[in-house]
Amino acid sequence: MTEQKKIMVIHGPNLNMLGKREPEVYGTATLEDVNRMLVQRATELDLVVEAFQSNHEGELVDAIQAAVDTCRGMIINPAAYTHTSVAIKDALILLDAPVIEVHISNVYKREPFRHVSMVSDVVSGKIVGLGVLGYKLALDALAEMV
Ligand code: DQA
């Protein structure tokens, strides 16, 4: 059954601009490149990836809620909402499945407000600062965990 193997990937605001957005910080890969790479790696791992991006907090909450009964694991980069969103944190608490928080940049080398994550204490693990490779490593980790 597909749903038993589904890994949900949630991309927060402005990540739709990857490739164009501050390439010196986030690199030149586009979000499409990231999703394509994850779909390909998922096939090798006998998993199925579904990706969702939104610039809107409530839509991200809706997508997390919709995944509660359908996904075996989740990769999430809440982007700027990482630092502010109690709503995303509360939605993640609903999930029984392992969740990995990913940040493309090393947020700890950046402004102090980026050092705070509202979600880190409710996720299984976290990868920061490894560029878009972090998404692939998160998927590999979930393959071991699910
Ligand atoms: C980010 C880091 C956040 O501080 C920032 O707002 C983002 C991307 C990252 O992947 O490095 O949009 O989550």
Side-chain angles (χ1 to χ4, degrees):
M1 236 170 81
T2 302
E3 300 229 325
Q4 285 183 330
K5 299 177 177 178
K6 187 165 98 180
I7 304 296
M8 190 72 205
V9 181
I10 305 271
H11 304 287
N14 298 304
L15 293 174
N16 55 316
M17 300 306 285
L18 276 183
K20 288 189 188 137
R21 174 192 184 201
E22 299 176 86
E24 67 289 357
V25 177
Y26 298 112
T28 53
T30 65
L31 191 62
E32 206 174 58
D33 293 335
V34 171
N35 288 338
R36 200 179 310 117
M37 176 263 288
L38 287 173
V39 166
Q40 190 182 326
R41 184 66 183 147
T43 308
E44 291 163 10
L45 295 168
D46 197 26
L47 294 169
V48 174
V49 153
E50 184 181 324
F52 176 79
Q53 189 277 332
S54 177
N55 294 324
H56 304 278
E57 187 175 18
E59 286 185 3
L60 294 165
V61 170
D62 287 345
I64 296 165
Q65 287 184 8
V68 165
D69 292 323
T70 62
C71 81
R72 291 292 306 278
M74 180 176 285
I75 297 170
I76 184 164
N77 182 348
Y81 287 135
T82 306
H83 316 301
T84 61
S85 181
V86 176
I88 289 175
K89 179 197 190 102
D90 284 349
L92 290 175
I93 291 170
L94 292 166
L95 284 171
D96 233 350
V99 179
I100 306 208
E101 177 185 355
V102 171
H103 298 286
I104 299 165
S105 65
N106 182 351
V107 284
Y108 299 106
K109 282 174 88 174
R110 302 181 65 194
E111 306 95 312
F113 72 85
R114 294 186 205 274
H115 302 181
V116 176
S117 169
M118 298 300 289
V119 304
S120 289
D121 61 337
V122 300
V123 297
S124 310
K126 168 165 164 165
I127 298 172
V128 303
L130 300 183
V132 297
L133 173 65
Y135 291 98
K136 181 163 174 270
L137 297 175
L139 187 59
D140 284 356
L142 284 175
E144 298 279 332
M145 294 163 87
V146 298

PDB file of all heavy atoms in Angstrom, residues 42-76:
ATOM      1  N   ALA A  42      13.793   8.226  -3.001  1.00  0.00           N
ATOM      2  CA  ALA A  42      12.707   7.465  -2.375  1.00  0.00           C
ATOM      3  C   ALA A  42      12.485   6.155  -3.132  1.00  0.00           C
ATOM      4  O   ALA A  42      12.277   5.103  -2.511  1.00  0.00           O
ATOM      5  CB  ALA A  42      11.427   8.297  -2.349  1.00  0.00           C
ATOM      6  N   THR A  43      12.541   6.209  -4.450  1.00  0.00           N
ATOM      7  CA  THR A  43      12.350   4.992  -5.248  1.00  0.00           C
ATOM      8  C   THR A  43      13.420   3.957  -4.875  1.00  0.00           C
ATOM      9  O   THR A  43      13.122   2.777  -4.704  1.00  0.00           O
ATOM     10  CB  THR A  43      12.443   5.334  -6.756  1.00  0.00           C
ATOM     11  OG1 THR A  43      11.557   6.413  -7.010  1.00  0.00           O
ATOM     12  CG2 THR A  43      12.070   4.168  -7.621  1.00  0.00           C
ATOM     13  N   GLU A  44      14.660   4.433  -4.732  1.00  0.00           N
ATOM     14  CA  GLU A  44      15.753   3.516  -4.357  1.00  0.00           C
ATOM     15  C   GLU A  44      15.524   2.915  -2.974  1.00  0.00           C
ATOM     16  O   GLU A  44      15.966   1.802  -2.695  1.00  0.00           O
ATOM     17  CB  GLU A  44      17.095   4.272  -4.368  1.00  0.00           C
ATOM     18  CG  GLU A  44      17.557   4.675  -5.758  1.00  0.00           C
ATOM     19  CD  GLU A  44      18.650   5.757  -5.744  1.00  0.00           C
ATOM     20  OE1 GLU A  44      19.191   6.062  -4.647  1.00  0.00           O
ATOM     21  OE2 GLU A  44      18.941   6.301  -6.819  1.00  0.00           O
ATOM     22  N   LEU A  45      14.839   3.659  -2.123  1.00  0.00           N
ATOM     23  CA  LEU A  45      14.620   3.209  -0.740  1.00  0.00           C
ATOM     24  C   LEU A  45      13.273   2.499  -0.567  1.00  0.00           C
ATOM     25  O   LEU A  45      12.888   2.181   0.550  1.00  0.00           O
ATOM     26  CB  LEU A  45      14.673   4.421   0.200  1.00  0.00           C
ATOM     27  CG  LEU A  45      16.023   5.148   0.300  1.00  0.00           C
ATOM     28  CD1 LEU A  45      15.857   6.480   1.030  1.00  0.00           C
ATOM     29  CD2 LEU A  45      17.053   4.278   1.015  1.00  0.00           C
ATOM     30  N   ASP A  46      12.561   2.309  -1.686  1.00  0.00           N
ATOM     31  CA  ASP A  46      11.234   1.702  -1.652  1.00  0.00           C
ATOM     32  C   ASP A  46      10.249   2.533  -0.810  1.00  0.00           C
ATOM     33  O   ASP A  46       9.442   1.996  -0.061  1.00  0.00           O
ATOM     34  CB  ASP A  46      11.320   0.253  -1.140  1.00  0.00           C
ATOM     35  CG  ASP A  46      10.064  -0.526  -1.477  1.00  0.00           C
ATOM     36  OD1 ASP A  46       9.390  -0.173  -2.458  1.00  0.00           O
ATOM     37  OD2 ASP A  46       9.736  -1.476  -0.731  1.00  0.00           O
ATOM     38  N   LEU A  47      10.385   3.850  -0.948  1.00  0.00           N
ATOM     39  CA  LEU A  47       9.470   4.779  -0.274  1.00  0.00           C
ATOM     40  C   LEU A  47       8.807   5.647  -1.340  1.00  0.00           C
ATOM     41  O   LEU A  47       9.233   5.663  -2.494  1.00  0.00           O
ATOM     42  CB  LEU A  47      10.238   5.684   0.698  1.00  0.00           C
ATOM     43  CG  LEU A  47      10.877   5.013   1.911  1.00  0.00           C
ATOM     44  CD1 LEU A  47      11.812   5.988   2.615  1.00  0.00           C
ATOM     45  CD2 LEU A  47       9.823   4.486   2.881  1.00  0.00           C
ATOM     46  N   VAL A  48       7.789   6.382  -0.926  1.00  0.00           N
ATOM     47  CA  VAL A  48       7.112   7.316  -1.835  1.00  0.00           C
ATOM     48  C   VAL A  48       7.145   8.690  -1.177  1.00  0.00           C
ATOM     49  O   VAL A  48       6.804   8.822   0.005  1.00  0.00           O
ATOM     50  CB  VAL A  48       5.649   6.881  -2.076  1.00  0.00           C
ATOM     51  CG1 VAL A  48       4.907   7.936  -2.889  1.00  0.00           C
ATOM     52  CG2 VAL A  48       5.608   5.535  -2.777  1.00  0.00           C
ATOM     53  N   VAL A  49       7.583   9.680  -1.937  1.00  0.00           N
ATOM     54  CA  VAL A  49       7.656  11.045  -1.409  1.00  0.00           C
ATOM     55  C   VAL A  49       6.527  11.885  -1.984  1.00  0.00           C
ATOM     56  O   VAL A  49       6.251  11.830  -3.178  1.00  0.00           O
ATOM     57  CB  VAL A  49       9.029  11.673  -1.764  1.00  0.00           C
ATOM     58  CG1 VAL A  49       8.940  13.183  -1.848  1.00  0.00           C
ATOM     59  CG2 VAL A  49      10.072  11.279  -0.743  1.00  0.00           C
ATOM     60  N   GLU A  50       5.877  12.651  -1.097  1.00  0.00           N
ATOM     61  CA  GLU A  50       4.927  13.660  -1.563  1.00  0.00           C
ATOM     62  C   GLU A  50       5.403  14.997  -1.000  1.00  0.00           C
ATOM     63  O   GLU A  50       5.651  15.096   0.205  1.00  0.00           O
ATOM     64  CB  GLU A  50       3.515  13.342  -1.069  1.00  0.00           C
ATOM     65  CG  GLU A  50       2.482  14.309  -1.605  1.00  0.00           C
ATOM     66  CD  GLU A  50       1.086  13.980  -1.085  1.00  0.00           C
ATOM     67  OE1 GLU A  50       0.747  12.787  -0.926  1.00  0.00           O
ATOM     68  OE2 GLU A  50       0.347  14.943  -0.815  1.00  0.00           O
ATOM     69  N   ALA A  51       5.554  15.990  -1.876  1.00  0.00           N
ATOM     70  CA  ALA A  51       6.085  17.284  -1.435  1.00  0.00           C
ATOM     71  C   ALA A  51       5.015  18.364  -1.514  1.00  0.00           C
ATOM     72  O   ALA A  51       4.173  18.356  -2.416  1.00  0.00           O
ATOM     73  CB  ALA A  51       7.291  17.672  -2.288  1.00  0.00           C
ATOM     74  N   PHE A  52       5.079  19.289  -0.557  1.00  0.00           N
ATOM     75  CA  PHE A  52       4.126  20.399  -0.511  1.00  0.00           C
ATOM     76  C   PHE A  52       4.875  21.653  -0.088  1.00  0.00           C
ATOM     77  O   PHE A  52       5.663  21.613   0.856  1.00  0.00           O
ATOM     78  CB  PHE A  52       3.014  20.091   0.498  1.00  0.00           C
ATOM     79  CG  PHE A  52       2.037  21.207   0.682  1.00  0.00           C
ATOM     80  CD1 PHE A  52       1.023  21.430  -0.236  1.00  0.00           C
ATOM     81  CD2 PHE A  52       2.134  22.074   1.778  1.00  0.00           C
ATOM     82  CE1 PHE A  52       0.121  22.475  -0.077  1.00  0.00           C
ATOM     83  CE2 PHE A  52       1.236  23.123   1.949  1.00  0.00           C
ATOM     84  CZ  PHE A  52       0.223  23.316   1.015  1.00  0.00           C
ATOM     85  N   GLN A  53       4.633  22.748  -0.792  1.00  0.00           N
ATOM     86  CA  GLN A  53       5.221  24.040  -0.409  1.00  0.00           C
ATOM     87  C   GLN A  53       4.115  25.077  -0.279  1.00  0.00           C
ATOM     88  O   GLN A  53       3.176  25.106  -1.083  1.00  0.00           O
ATOM     89  CB  GLN A  53       6.229  24.505  -1.470  1.00  0.00           C
ATOM     90  CG  GLN A  53       7.069  25.731  -1.066  1.00  0.00           C
ATOM     91  CD  GLN A  53       6.376  27.079  -1.296  1.00  0.00           C
ATOM     92  OE1 GLN A  53       5.537  27.210  -2.178  1.00  0.00           O
ATOM     93  NE2 GLN A  53       6.724  28.067  -0.490  1.00  0.00           N
ATOM     94  N   SER A  54       4.238  25.931   0.737  1.00  0.00           N
ATOM     95  CA  SER A  54       3.312  27.050   0.833  1.00  0.00           C
ATOM     96  C   SER A  54       4.009  28.225   1.507  1.00  0.00           C
ATOM     97  O   SER A  54       4.909  28.046   2.338  1.00  0.00           O
ATOM     98  CB  SER A  54       2.059  26.674   1.622  1.00  0.00           C
ATOM     99  OG  SER A  54       1.228  27.823   1.746  1.00  0.00           O
ATOM    100  N   ASN A  55       3.551  29.405   1.139  1.00  0.00           N
ATOM    101  CA  ASN A  55       4.018  30.626   1.800  1.00  0.00           C
ATOM    102  C   ASN A  55       3.089  31.021   2.945  1.00  0.00           C
ATOM    103  O   ASN A  55       3.309  32.060   3.581  1.00  0.00           O
ATOM    104  CB  ASN A  55       4.090  31.773   0.783  1.00  0.00           C
ATOM    105  CG  ASN A  55       5.157  31.506  -0.267  1.00  0.00           C
ATOM    106  OD1 ASN A  55       6.205  30.936   0.033  1.00  0.00           O
ATOM    107  ND2 ASN A  55       4.894  31.897  -1.506  1.00  0.00           N
ATOM    108  N   HIS A  56       2.063  30.187   3.207  1.00  0.00           N
ATOM    109  CA  HIS A  56       1.021  30.552   4.166  1.00  0.00           C
ATOM    110  C   HIS A  56       1.011  29.587   5.356  1.00  0.00           C
ATOM    111  O   HIS A  56       0.885  28.369   5.172  1.00  0.00           O
ATOM    112  CB  HIS A  56      -0.343  30.549   3.467  1.00  0.00           C
ATOM    113  CG  HIS A  56      -0.355  31.462   2.266  1.00  0.00           C
ATOM    114  ND1 HIS A  56      -0.554  32.814   2.376  1.00  0.00           N
ATOM    115  CD2 HIS A  56      -0.124  31.212   0.958  1.00  0.00           C
ATOM    116  CE1 HIS A  56      -0.470  33.368   1.179  1.00  0.00           C
ATOM    117  NE2 HIS A  56      -0.212  32.417   0.291  1.00  0.00           N
ATOM    118  N   GLU A  57       1.087  30.132   6.529  1.00  0.00           N
ATOM    119  CA  GLU A  57       1.194  29.325   7.749  1.00  0.00           C
ATOM    120  C   GLU A  57       0.035  28.334   7.875  1.00  0.00           C
ATOM    121  O   GLU A  57       0.240  27.150   8.160  1.00  0.00           O
ATOM    122  CB  GLU A  57       1.245  30.266   8.949  1.00  0.00           C
ATOM    123  CG  GLU A  57       1.531  29.574  10.277  1.00  0.00           C
ATOM    124  CD  GLU A  57       1.683  30.585  11.412  1.00  0.00           C
ATOM    125  OE1 GLU A  57       1.249  31.758  11.261  1.00  0.00           O
ATOM    126  OE2 GLU A  57       2.233  30.190  12.455  1.00  0.00           O
ATOM    127  N   GLY A  58      -1.206  28.831   7.661  1.00  0.00           N
ATOM    128  CA  GLY A  58      -2.374  27.959   7.827  1.00  0.00           C
ATOM    129  C   GLY A  58      -2.379  26.809   6.833  1.00  0.00           C
ATOM    130  O   GLY A  58      -2.802  25.691   7.162  1.00  0.00           O
ATOM    131  N   GLU A  59      -1.895  27.064   5.625  1.00  0.00           N
ATOM    132  CA  GLU A  59      -1.833  25.978   4.628  1.00  0.00           C
ATOM    133  C   GLU A  59      -0.813  24.922   5.039  1.00  0.00           C
ATOM    134  O   GLU A  59      -1.013  23.726   4.795  1.00  0.00           O
ATOM    135  CB  GLU A  59      -1.480  26.550   3.251  1.00  0.00           C
ATOM    136  CG  GLU A  59      -2.639  27.301   2.620  1.00  0.00           C
ATOM    137  CD  GLU A  59      -2.343  27.784   1.205  1.00  0.00           C
ATOM    138  OE1 GLU A  59      -1.255  27.493   0.668  1.00  0.00           O
ATOM    139  OE2 GLU A  59      -3.213  28.469   0.648  1.00  0.00           O
ATOM    140  N   LEU A  60       0.260  25.370   5.673  1.00  0.00           N
ATOM    141  CA  LEU A  60       1.261  24.408   6.148  1.00  0.00           C
ATOM    142  C   LEU A  60       0.662  23.560   7.277  1.00  0.00           C
ATOM    143  O   LEU A  60       0.849  22.343   7.321  1.00  0.00           O
ATOM    144  CB  LEU A  60       2.519  25.142   6.611  1.00  0.00           C
ATOM    145  CG  LEU A  60       3.275  25.860   5.480  1.00  0.00           C
ATOM    146  CD1 LEU A  60       4.272  26.862   6.033  1.00  0.00           C
ATOM    147  CD2 LEU A  60       3.986  24.858   4.574  1.00  0.00           C
ATOM    148  N   VAL A  61      -0.087  24.210   8.162  1.00  0.00           N
ATOM    149  CA  VAL A  61      -0.769  23.478   9.246  1.00  0.00           C
ATOM    150  C   VAL A  61      -1.744  22.462   8.649  1.00  0.00           C
ATOM    151  O   VAL A  61      -1.782  21.301   9.071  1.00  0.00           O
ATOM    152  CB  VAL A  61      -1.495  24.466  10.190  1.00  0.00           C
ATOM    153  CG1 VAL A  61      -2.409  23.721  11.161  1.00  0.00           C
ATOM    154  CG2 VAL A  61      -0.489  25.314  10.954  1.00  0.00           C
ATOM    155  N   ASP A  62      -2.523  22.885   7.652  1.00  0.00           N
ATOM    156  CA  ASP A  62      -3.480  21.971   7.003  1.00  0.00           C
ATOM    157  C   ASP A  62      -2.757  20.760   6.406  1.00  0.00           C
ATOM    158  O   ASP A  62      -3.231  19.624   6.522  1.00  0.00           O
ATOM    159  CB  ASP A  62      -4.242  22.689   5.877  1.00  0.00           C
ATOM    160  CG  ASP A  62      -5.271  23.683   6.406  1.00  0.00           C
ATOM    161  OD1 ASP A  62      -5.599  23.625   7.602  1.00  0.00           O
ATOM    162  OD2 ASP A  62      -5.724  24.525   5.607  1.00  0.00           O
ATOM    163  N   ALA A  63      -1.617  21.015   5.767  1.00  0.00           N
ATOM    164  CA  ALA A  63      -0.881  19.914   5.120  1.00  0.00           C
ATOM    165  C   ALA A  63      -0.328  18.939   6.167  1.00  0.00           C
ATOM    166  O   ALA A  63      -0.332  17.722   5.956  1.00  0.00           O
ATOM    167  CB  ALA A  63       0.248  20.474   4.248  1.00  0.00           C
ATOM    168  N   ILE A  64       0.122  19.471   7.284  1.00  0.00           N
ATOM    169  CA  ILE A  64       0.632  18.591   8.355  1.00  0.00           C
ATOM    170  C   ILE A  64      -0.520  17.762   8.926  1.00  0.00           C
ATOM    171  O   ILE A  64      -0.415  16.547   9.097  1.00  0.00           O
ATOM    172  CB  ILE A  64       1.334  19.411   9.461  1.00  0.00           C
ATOM    173  CG1 ILE A  64       2.577  20.097   8.902  1.00  0.00           C
ATOM    174  CG2 ILE A  64       1.708  18.505  10.644  1.00  0.00           C
ATOM    175  CD1 ILE A  64       3.135  21.201   9.794  1.00  0.00           C
ATOM    176  N   GLN A  65      -1.651  18.423   9.180  1.00  0.00           N
ATOM    177  CA  GLN A  65      -2.826  17.685   9.704  1.00  0.00           C
ATOM    178  C   GLN A  65      -3.260  16.595   8.733  1.00  0.00           C
ATOM    179  O   GLN A  65      -3.596  15.485   9.145  1.00  0.00           O
ATOM    180  CB  GLN A  65      -3.987  18.640   9.938  1.00  0.00           C
ATOM    181  CG  GLN A  65      -3.808  19.532  11.140  1.00  0.00           C
ATOM    182  CD  GLN A  65      -5.036  20.399  11.392  1.00  0.00           C
ATOM    183  OE1 GLN A  65      -6.068  20.224  10.765  1.00  0.00           O
ATOM    184  NE2 GLN A  65      -4.923  21.320  12.322  1.00  0.00           N
ATOM    185  N   ALA A  66      -3.243  16.902   7.438  1.00  0.00           N
ATOM    186  CA  ALA A  66      -3.686  15.923   6.431  1.00  0.00           C
ATOM    187  C   ALA A  66      -2.747  14.719   6.396  1.00  0.00           C
ATOM    188  O   ALA A  66      -3.153  13.629   5.982  1.00  0.00           O
ATOM    189  CB  ALA A  66      -3.762  16.585   5.061  1.00  0.00           C
ATOM    190  N   ALA A  67      -1.504  14.932   6.826  1.00  0.00           N
ATOM    191  CA  ALA A  67      -0.518  13.848   6.778  1.00  0.00           C
ATOM    192  C   ALA A  67      -0.592  12.939   8.012  1.00  0.00           C
ATOM    193  O   ALA A  67       0.006  11.853   8.015  1.00  0.00           O
ATOM    194  CB  ALA A  67       0.882  14.436   6.654  1.00  0.00           C
ATOM    195  N   VAL A  68      -1.337  13.363   9.016  1.00  0.00           N
ATOM    196  CA  VAL A  68      -1.329  12.630  10.293  1.00  0.00           C
ATOM    197  C   VAL A  68      -1.632  11.142  10.107  1.00  0.00           C
ATOM    198  O   VAL A  68      -0.938  10.289  10.646  1.00  0.00           O
ATOM    199  CB  VAL A  68      -2.311  13.271  11.305  1.00  0.00           C
ATOM    200  CG1 VAL A  68      -2.589  12.345  12.476  1.00  0.00           C
ATOM    201  CG2 VAL A  68      -1.769  14.595  11.801  1.00  0.00           C
ATOM    202  N   ASP A  69      -2.652  10.839   9.322  1.00  0.00           N
ATOM    203  CA  ASP A  69      -3.042   9.431   9.174  1.00  0.00           C
ATOM    204  C   ASP A  69      -2.491   8.789   7.907  1.00  0.00           C
ATOM    205  O   ASP A  69      -2.812   7.646   7.612  1.00  0.00           O
ATOM    206  CB  ASP A  69      -4.571   9.314   9.149  1.00  0.00           C
ATOM    207  CG  ASP A  69      -5.156   9.669  10.500  1.00  0.00           C
ATOM    208  OD1 ASP A  69      -4.529   9.328  11.526  1.00  0.00           O
ATOM    209  OD2 ASP A  69      -6.222  10.307  10.534  1.00  0.00           O
ATOM    210  N   THR A  70      -1.720   9.541   7.147  1.00  0.00           N
ATOM    211  CA  THR A  70      -1.335   8.995   5.833  1.00  0.00           C
ATOM    212  C   THR A  70       0.170   8.851   5.627  1.00  0.00           C
ATOM    213  O   THR A  70       0.580   8.201   4.680  1.00  0.00           O
ATOM    214  CB  THR A  70      -1.871   9.878   4.679  1.00  0.00           C
ATOM    215  OG1 THR A  70      -1.291  11.169   4.787  1.00  0.00           O
ATOM    216  CG2 THR A  70      -3.386   9.999   4.710  1.00  0.00           C
ATOM    217  N   CYS A  71       0.990   9.469   6.471  1.00  0.00           N
ATOM    218  CA  CYS A  71       2.432   9.368   6.189  1.00  0.00           C
ATOM    219  C   CYS A  71       3.156   8.567   7.258  1.00  0.00           C
ATOM    220  O   CYS A  71       2.737   8.489   8.401  1.00  0.00           O
ATOM    221  CB  CYS A  71       3.058  10.747   5.995  1.00  0.00           C
ATOM    222  SG  CYS A  71       3.449  11.611   7.496  1.00  0.00           S
ATOM    223  N   ARG A  72       4.274   7.949   6.837  1.00  0.00           N
ATOM    224  CA  ARG A  72       5.097   7.159   7.756  1.00  0.00           C
ATOM    225  C   ARG A  72       6.206   7.990   8.365  1.00  0.00           C
ATOM    226  O   ARG A  72       6.843   7.587   9.339  1.00  0.00           O
ATOM    227  CB  ARG A  72       5.717   5.971   7.001  1.00  0.00           C
ATOM    228  CG  ARG A  72       4.738   4.911   6.584  1.00  0.00           C
ATOM    229  CD  ARG A  72       4.172   4.156   7.795  1.00  0.00           C
ATOM    230  NE  ARG A  72       5.218   3.599   8.644  1.00  0.00           N
ATOM    231  CZ  ARG A  72       5.844   2.466   8.401  1.00  0.00           C
ATOM    232  NH1 ARG A  72       5.530   1.743   7.347  1.00  0.00           N
ATOM    233  NH2 ARG A  72       6.786   2.031   9.213  1.00  0.00           N
ATOM    234  N   GLY A  73       6.464   9.138   7.729  1.00  0.00           N
ATOM    235  CA  GLY A  73       7.508  10.018   8.236  1.00  0.00           C
ATOM    236  C   GLY A  73       7.404  11.352   7.547  1.00  0.00           C
ATOM    237  O   GLY A  73       6.707  11.482   6.530  1.00  0.00           O
ATOM    238  N   MET A  74       8.068  12.352   8.115  1.00  0.00           N
ATOM    239  CA  MET A  74       7.978  13.702   7.534  1.00  0.00           C
ATOM    240  C   MET A  74       9.333  14.394   7.578  1.00  0.00           C
ATOM    241  O   MET A  74      10.101  14.241   8.531  1.00  0.00           O
ATOM    242  CB  MET A  74       6.950  14.535   8.309  1.00  0.00           C
ATOM    243  CG  MET A  74       6.790  15.950   7.774  1.00  0.00           C
ATOM    244  SD  MET A  74       5.482  16.860   8.632  1.00  0.00           S
ATOM    245  CE  MET A  74       4.025  16.122   7.920  1.00  0.00           C
ATOM    246  N   ILE A  75       9.605  15.128   6.494  1.00  0.00           N
ATOM    247  CA  ILE A  75      10.743  16.053   6.456  1.00  0.00           C
ATOM    248  C   ILE A  75      10.121  17.438   6.387  1.00  0.00           C
ATOM    249  O   ILE A  75       9.256  17.687   5.538  1.00  0.00           O
ATOM    250  CB  ILE A  75      11.617  15.805   5.206  1.00  0.00           C
ATOM    251  CG1 ILE A  75      12.221  14.395   5.244  1.00  0.00           C
ATOM    252  CG2 ILE A  75      12.706  16.871   5.089  1.00  0.00           C
ATOM    253  CD1 ILE A  75      12.906  13.981   3.945  1.00  0.00           C
ATOM    254  N   ILE A  76      10.544  18.337   7.265  1.00  0.00           N
ATOM    255  CA  ILE A  76       9.977  19.685   7.231  1.00  0.00           C
ATOM    256  C   ILE A  76      11.058  20.747   7.356  1.00  0.00           C
ATOM    257  O   ILE A  76      11.939  20.646   8.220  1.00  0.00           O
ATOM    258  CB  ILE A  76       8.886  19.888   8.324  1.00  0.00           C
ATOM    259  CG1 ILE A  76       8.245  21.271   8.188  1.00  0.00           C
ATOM    260  CG2 ILE A  76       9.427  19.659   9.722  1.00  0.00           C
ATOM    261  CD1 ILE A  76       6.928  21.435   8.931  1.00  0.00           C
TER     262      ILE A  76
END
